Amino acid sequence: MKRDTVNLEPGADQPVVLAPVTEDPRYVGVSVPRGGIERLTQGLGQYVDDIELPRMAHVAFWRNPVSHARILKVNGDFARGMPGVLLVADGHDLARVCKPWVATLGHLAGMKSAPQHALAVDRACWQGEPVVAVVAETRAQAEDALAYLQVEWEELPAANDMETALDDATPLIHPELGDNLCFTRSLNVGEVDTAFASADVVAETTFEFGRHTGVTLEPRCQIAHWSPADQRLTVYHSQQAPHMMQDLYARQFDLPASGIRVVCKDVGGSFGIKVHAYPDDFATVALSILLGRPVKFVADRLESFTSDIHARHHRVKGRIAVNRDGEILGFEIDDLTGIGPYSMFPRTSAIEGNQVVNLVGGPYKHRHYRARLNVVFQNKTPTCQYRGVGHPIACAVTEGLVDLAAQKIGMDPLEIRRRNVIPDDAYPTTGASGIKLELLSHEACLKKLRELMNYDALRAEQAALRQQGIHRGIGIAALIELTNPSAAFYGVGGARIASQDGATARLDPEGNVTVLIGVGEQGQGTEGIYAQIAADAVGVDIGKVRIVTGDTDVTPYGGGTWASRGAGIGGEAVLLAGQALRENIVKVAAVILQREGAGLAVRRGRIVDAVTGEELLPLHELGRIAYFRSDTLPPDFTPELMVTRHYAQRDYPFIFTNGVQASYVEVDPDTGFVKLLKHWAVEDCGRVLNPMLVDEQMRGAIVQGIGGALFEECLYDDSGLMLNASMADYLVPMSAEMPDIEVAHVQTPTASSKLGAKGAGEAGTAGAPAAVMNAINDAIAPFDAHVFSQPVTPQKLLRALGKLG
């Protein structure tokens, strides 16, 4: 039987053959160009703002201009008289049709948050919170009318600094909660005090991570269309989880979910920014219900900076215990993170900090670990899940401490990692924090990285250049990334977010295959890999496969796009559906040909003799007979050429992927500027379905990680106002600043699925900040200086070098 890929197992010297996906594999494991790319490059994509509906109105929001305010009075009389204005509504108006929500999860014990409304009621708690909606015939008319609103507010004391959020003198954002603490967690495993007391060396430092946000090419947007005639709600959304939003709209508006359709067509990037339910999402639906006509909301870039979620705002005090021989004995961290005034709905803003606790020290075999987490409220834009969700913080803390330890004992950074990563033959195992690890390959990844970057020669080059006054640094980061989540992520906490996904595969009369699946295309190439999987699973050419995603009316119920689950969960559902369809096709062929099904196979769109390969029946002829000439079939036989299969990962709470990254940088000690020279990544995401797409996902994620490490930060003044809320002031990585990024793979397929795929979309973001930070610190090591505050700006570098006060 032909098999689809050949690969090295961790630690093996000879290649081993991966299990087959189908009997006729031609696409899985091959760099097939992404499906649909021609349509997009020709400008034929259909994004939310491209959609025009009859009688469609447009909404613009008056947003809170300060960090904390009591809303005293809203007078919309002048605005209502402006041309084209249809409705002016405040929080009290919308509260009559949309219920408030509280974003907590039951398995995060003790977590609390306050009720939140579609528009602020009485108080607005961050700059950018929507307060008043103006609906008009055009967006320009709605924006013009905003200037005629008369809103009286009283500025209230604010809690802006997360360091003082729990102090007695700090104002309470929600007095009914008793304090500004959203969630706290402590973890104490092993004998941490003994481990640190007995260690030869203890290294410690404080890490800072600045707030930043996802700058998607397409901003958040939606069209809500409530039809009074049939009591039906249709929402066109730039979103990642259409079934989740269908459920939330049903609950918040007391509507039957069956009467709600959420459609996500082309989505111009998401990165987690579009996996949340925002107040203005609910407000747009409420306005459509009040008006009985479609209402469109498209965020402009300026309001996106204070209305889209932020992420990564952490201060982590960490320390590591090691022996002189490089053995890591234990880790200890204290993580403080600020999340804004509310926990985001429905995934909650405590997840990122909780992930940090789970993942610190993850790649290593130490058994002593203590962690404390405080998640606090503040009067700033809410933070929540963004690409990587805690991984970049956990990885930077872990790998920064490992480098500090290596420096203190005089050991090579690559060598200390080689000695301490969990051995490739030790799986399955449980990490110190309690995470269950199925099968990882850090030893193989480190070995491949060393060869890929020619590590020894690079160290020699670095040493020679230092003699010339050129300061270059090499940074290493080992990482783990949770993917393919089970219900343990959200379902067990009461959040109605599906961990399973389903796929429907249908053979059309012409011999084409249509696959419907809820996991949407956000630019990452899922439509492409689903076509590859379906083509191999059914046995047709890839050009005969059509993928339909993101429509709750037609696709099976599923979780959508998040946590790198598209390949591992969605792809497995497509595989199962495709294989089931192939089995049914063979049954139909056996009846038509009056032959045993065991002797038939489907290959390249034809029924063939499984032994000789002789063509017996093309699929278009099989389809013609099955659909239009049932009279020629036995009366007790009905062709079933449309099947649905579901998949949920159950063997582990998560399936972990792993990898190693390295960065090579040059630091100018006179200016503090960092030049990125080269970046390497060795990734193990299980079975690689499409090398080209995986590599580009990795490169894109690495660039995003570099953005957080060097450029991106939401800067606030002392009063809680964002200072750089525009593309003129908020720095994002540009192509000319990025290094060449070389990607290689070790493949360790998960045994929890037939496909063996793990996720890959977030690993680059998880490891890049740590690798870049360590490379910078390696470059300035001769000056006995370190920088552990991200983004690493020239000012911070010069301050560390003693050249700025």
Side-chain angles (χ1 to χ4, degrees):
M1 181 180 296
K2 183 181 177 184
R3 307 203 180 241
D4 58 346
T5 60
V6 177
N7 187 67
L8 281 173
E9 279 190 332
D13 294 323
Q14 298 297 322
V16 296
V17 182
L18 296 179
V21 176
T22 71
E23 295 182 356
D24 183 30
R26 290 170 292 137
Y27 299 110
V28 170
V30 178
S31 292
V32 179
R34 197 178 94 192
I37 196 67
E38 296 87 354
R39 178 177 60 85
L40 295 176
T41 54
Q42 292 173 22
L44 300 176
Q46 189 174 49
Y47 300 90
V48 170
D49 203 27
D50 295 321
I51 300 172
E52 295 292 336
L53 300 179
R55 299 180 64 246
M56 187 169 69
H58 298 257
V59 61
F61 294 101
W62 188 89
R63 297 181 181 273
N64 179 31
V66 295
S67 64
H68 198 192
R70 180 176 288 111
I71 308 301
L72 302 176
K73 184 179 180 181
V74 175
N75 186 339
D77 291 343
F78 288 98
R80 290 186 184 95
M82 291 291 291
V85 172
L86 303 169
L87 179 67
V88 176
D90 62 15
H92 295 283
D93 298 322
L94 299 198
R96 291 197 289 270
V97 293
C98 180
K99 296 185 294 187
W101 59 89
V102 177
T104 58
L105 287 171
H107 65 303
L108 299 181
M111 184 186 180
K112 58 183 185 286
S113 187
Q116 190 175 359
H117 291 266
L119 294 178
V121 174
D122 298 330
R123 276 192 313 131
C125 295
W126 83 88
Q127 179 201 15
E129 183 174 5
V131 177
V132 186
V134 176
V135 187
E137 297 285 355
T138 70
R139 172 67 185 244
Q141 289 173 333
E143 290 186 347
D144 287 345
L146 286 179
Y148 289 85
L149 282 174
Q150 293 180 322
V151 182
E152 297 179 22
W153 78 87
E154 173 192 359
E155 191 163 358
L156 298 173
N160 295 319
D161 186 355
M162 69 180 184
E163 294 283 355
T164 61
L166 301 180
D167 292 355
D168 292 339
T170 300
L172 296 183
I173 300 175
H174 306 292
E176 68 272 22
L177 298 182
D179 54 31
N180 289 328
L181 182 66
C182 170
F183 176 66
T184 186
R185 179 187 174 193
S186 295
L187 183 66
N188 197 340
V189 180
E191 300 291 337
V192 177
D193 291 333
T194 301
F196 275 87
S198 63
D200 293 327
V201 170
V202 173
E204 58 186 312
T205 193
T206 298
F207 299 85
E208 296 175 345
F209 301 89
R211 276 173 169 251
H212 51 282
T213 187
V215 184
T216 57
L217 287 175
E218 179 196 28
R220 288 189 304 107
C221 46
Q222 70 181 118
I223 300 170
H225 182 194
W226 171 252
S227 173
D230 54 11
Q231 295 288 288
R232 183 164 176 80
L233 173 67
T234 301
V235 181
Y236 298 91
H237 224 322
S238 180
Q239 238 275 346
Q240 296 174 237
H243 283 104
M244 180 194 81
M245 294 307 300
Q246 179 194 47
D247 177 76
L248 294 181
Y249 291 142
R251 288 191 285 150
Q252 297 312 120
F253 293 95
D254 285 328
L255 299 171
S258 60
I260 300 171
R261 180 188 183 194
V262 177
V263 184
C264 298
K265 294 180 178 289
D266 292 314
V267 176
S270 51
F271 315 129
I273 298 299
K274 298 175 181 176
V275 81
H276 310 293
Y278 290 82
D280 43 39
D281 290 337
F282 295 115
T284 304
V285 171
L287 294 165
S288 179
I289 291 173
L290 290 174
L291 287 168
R293 61 192 289 178
V295 176
K296 176 186 282 189
F297 165 62
V298 178
D300 66 35
R301 189 62 69 185
L302 292 176
E303 66 184 321
S304 290
F305 274 106
T306 55
S307 65
D308 291 359
I309 62 105
H310 296 174
R312 312 276 204 256
H313 195 192
H314 292 252
R315 184 274 295 143
V316 183
K317 296 177 180 177
R319 61 177 186 152
I320 185 173
V322 296
N323 283 339
R324 288 287 177 194
D325 62 1
E327 179 189 10
I328 296 175
L329 302 179
F331 289 88
E332 182 174 16
I333 67 162
D334 183 321
D335 182 11
L336 173 68
T337 178
I339 63 161
Y342 299 98
S343 170
M344 279 295 290
F345 192 50
R347 295 167 187 266
T348 83
S349 301
I351 288 291
E352 184 173 79
N354 197 58
Q355 294 278 72
V356 173
V357 172
N358 288 337
L359 297 172
V360 163
Y364 301 107
K365 56 189 176 185
H366 67 102
R367 308 312 304 170
H368 309 286
Y369 177 46
R370 180 186 292 144
R372 180 168 178 80
L373 168 70
N374 277 334
V375 180
V376 299
F377 296 117
Q378 28 170 201
N379 290 112
K380 294 181 179 179
T381 299
T383 72
C384 207
Q385 281 85 312
Y386 167 60
R387 195 173 193 171
V389 193
H391 291 72
I393 291 94
C395 186
V397 169
T398 301
E399 298 304 297
L401 290 173
V402 169
D403 260 27
L404 267 183
Q407 188 179 64
K408 278 182 171 285
I409 63 176
M411 183 172 286
D412 179 81
L414 199 58
E415 176 60 20
I416 194 172
R417 289 171 172 84
R418 187 193 67 80
R419 294 188 184 194
N420 286 281
V421 291
I422 299 171
D424 294 352
D425 61 2
Y427 296 96
T429 189
T430 301
S433 68
I435 53 176
K436 297 184 183 302
L437 305 169
E438 178 203 18
L439 188 60
L440 304 181
S441 59
H442 278 109
E443 289 181 325
C445 288
L446 284 167
K447 180 180 178 182
K448 181 165 281 191
L449 178 73
R450 186 178 201 114
E451 298 166 354
L452 187 69
M453 64 188 297
N454 200 355
Y455 183 75
D456 295 332
L458 205 63
R459 282 294 182 196
E461 176 184 283
Q462 177 194 33
L465 290 173
R466 275 185 181 170
Q467 298 299 316
Q468 304 171 34
I470 299 173
H471 296 277
R472 292 186 174 181
I474 302 169
I476 311 291
L479 64 104
I480 57 174
E481 179 205 355
L482 64 83
T483 70
N484 299 13
S486 73
F489 210 149
Y490 293 116
V492 298
R496 294 163 62 89
I497 302 170
S499 59
Q500 61 88 46
D501 256 282
T504 296
R506 181 183 72 223
L507 181 73
D508 298 329
E510 297 81 9
N512 299 321
V513 174
T514 299
V515 176
L516 304 96
I517 182 165
V519 180
E521 174 64 64
Q522 318 279 303
Q524 75 275 49
T526 50
E527 288 185 1
I529 63 169
Y530 295 157
Q532 290 178 257
I533 295 167
D536 279 0
V538 178
V540 298
D541 290 330
I542 197 168
K544 296 287 189 179
V545 179
R546 175 173 173 258
I547 306 296
V548 177
T549 68
D551 186 337
T552 59
D553 259 13
V554 299
T555 62
Y557 204 96
T561 303
W562 48 276
S564 298
R565 65 190 300 277
I569 304 295
E572 187 72 8
V574 172
L575 176 66
L576 296 176
Q579 290 178 331
L581 177 59
R582 186 184 70 218
E583 292 173 3
N584 285 3
I585 289 171
V586 169
K587 291 177 183 177
V588 176
V591 170
I592 294 173
L593 297 170
Q594 298 184 13
R595 296 176 60 153
E596 290 293 326
L600 302 176
V602 186
R603 290 181 188 162
R604 293 159 176 77
R606 300 168 177 85
I607 304 298
V608 300
D609 186 290
V611 177
T612 67
E614 177 191 0
E615 180 181 336
L616 302 173
L617 184 70
L619 288 188
H620 63 80
E621 178 64 9
L622 181 145
R624 183 190 70 83
I625 295 170
Y627 286 110
F628 308 126
R629 292 303 309 274
S630 58
D631 60 300
T632 65
L633 302 176
D636 60 347
F637 178 79
T638 301
E640 296 288 348
L641 297 179
M642 181 172 178
V643 299
T644 299
R645 293 292 183 270
H646 292 82
Y647 174 73
Q649 197 282 120
R650 294 184 177 89
D651 294 344
Y652 291 83
F654 315 96
I655 297 298
F656 279 89
T657 185
N658 70 275
V660 187
Q661 294 187 33
S663 184
Y664 191 38
V665 307
E666 183 175 313
V667 174
D668 185 337
D670 294 321
T671 64
F673 278 87
V674 176
K675 183 178 182 180
L676 300 159
L677 302 174
K678 190 72 181 282
H679 199 98
W680 300 266
V682 177
E683 172 71 359
D684 185 346
C685 58
R687 186 193 295 270
V688 174
L689 305 179
N690 185 318
M692 178 172 59
L693 289 181
V694 171
D695 287 0
E696 292 313 303
Q697 274 289 291
M698 286 295 298
R699 290 189 177 98
I702 287 167
V703 168
Q704 207 154 9
I706 291 173
L710 294 180
F711 304 109
E712 299 185 53
E713 185 173 15
C714 300
L715 299 171
Y716 283 81
D717 65 16
D718 292 340
S719 64
L721 301 184
M722 190 172 167
L723 297 171
N724 59 333
S726 76
M727 291 302 293
D729 300 308
Y730 183 90
L731 300 181
V732 293
M734 306 293 283
S735 59
E737 300 159 339
M738 292 301 101
D740 286 340
I741 301 170
E742 194 169 345
V743 181
H745 298 277
V746 171
Q747 295 187 66
T748 311
T750 172
S752 69
S753 68
K754 290 184 178 181
L755 195 60
K758 306 174 185 177
E762 297 171 284
T765 304
V772 170
M773 178 188 69
N774 283 347
I776 291 169
N777 284 330
D778 186 48
I780 62 176
F783 301 97
D784 194 26
H786 296 91
V787 179
F788 293 109
S789 176
Q790 296 185 22
V792 181
T793 63
Q795 292 89 339
K796 292 176 183 177
L797 261 171
L798 292 175
R799 197 170 294 117
L801 293 168
K803 298 186 178 184
L804 279 181

